[in-house]
Amino acid sequence: MQLLFPEKPFHWLRHITIAVCLLFVVNLLVIFVPNIRDIFGITGATTAPTLIFILPGLFYIRIIPKNQEPMSSRPKIQAACFTTLGFIFMIMSLTFIGLDWMSGENQSLGGH
């Protein structure tokens, strides 16, 4: 609720509406996604680069004040490159998952 309505005070109707919408989306995923492997693939492809590359770089850029260290300084440029690398990894991973879905071949032979 803080992401969608940061200025508004807590309200039960808004809280329940958001919860019902989230449950509806989760139920749609359960119905339409045939394999849990796909869910874990998408989750891993988005959260791993975000936690490892994107957020640390963005936090460094955001936390260090511009008057103490300008954006053209070497550490901030490195943080921006680190963040960009995270987005590149995320896009590559999601692209490979999409290509795997589009190929339609079942590579799983069981076991490990």
Side-chain angles (χ1 to χ4, degrees):
M1 284 187 8
Q2 290 298 317
L3 290 174
L4 297 175
F5 310 104
E7 292 87 25
K8 295 188 178 185
F10 180 81
H11 193 267
W12 275 108
L13 182 61
R14 190 179 317 116
H15 178 75
I16 292 170
T17 304
I18 291 171
V20 168
C21 290
L22 287 173
L23 286 172
F24 180 74
V25 170
V26 168
N27 283 327
L28 285 178
L29 283 173
V30 168
I31 292 168
F32 290 114
V33 176
N35 193 350
I36 193 72
R37 183 180 130 249
D38 300 334
I39 299 289
F40 286 133
I42 294 289
T43 304
T46 54
T47 56
T50 301
L51 291 174
I52 296 170
F53 294 100
I54 298 170
L55 289 180
L58 289 178
F59 286 158
Y60 184 81
I61 291 170
R62 180 81 176 168
I63 290 173
I64 305 298
K66 289 182 183 176
N67 59 3
Q68 181 181 351
E69 191 172 284
M71 191 57 197
S72 60
S73 68
R74 184 176 177 176
K76 282 203 174 180
I77 291 173
Q78 287 174 334
C81 291
F82 200 63
T83 301
T84 305
L85 184 66
F87 279 111
I88 290 169
F89 282 155
M90 184 186 300
I91 291 168
M92 283 176 29
S93 299
L94 292 173
T95 302
F96 291 145
I97 290 171
L99 290 173
D100 185 44
W101 286 354
M102 286 187 279
S103 70
E105 296 175 13
N106 189 3
Q107 300 284 334
S108 177
L109 300 174
H112 302 299

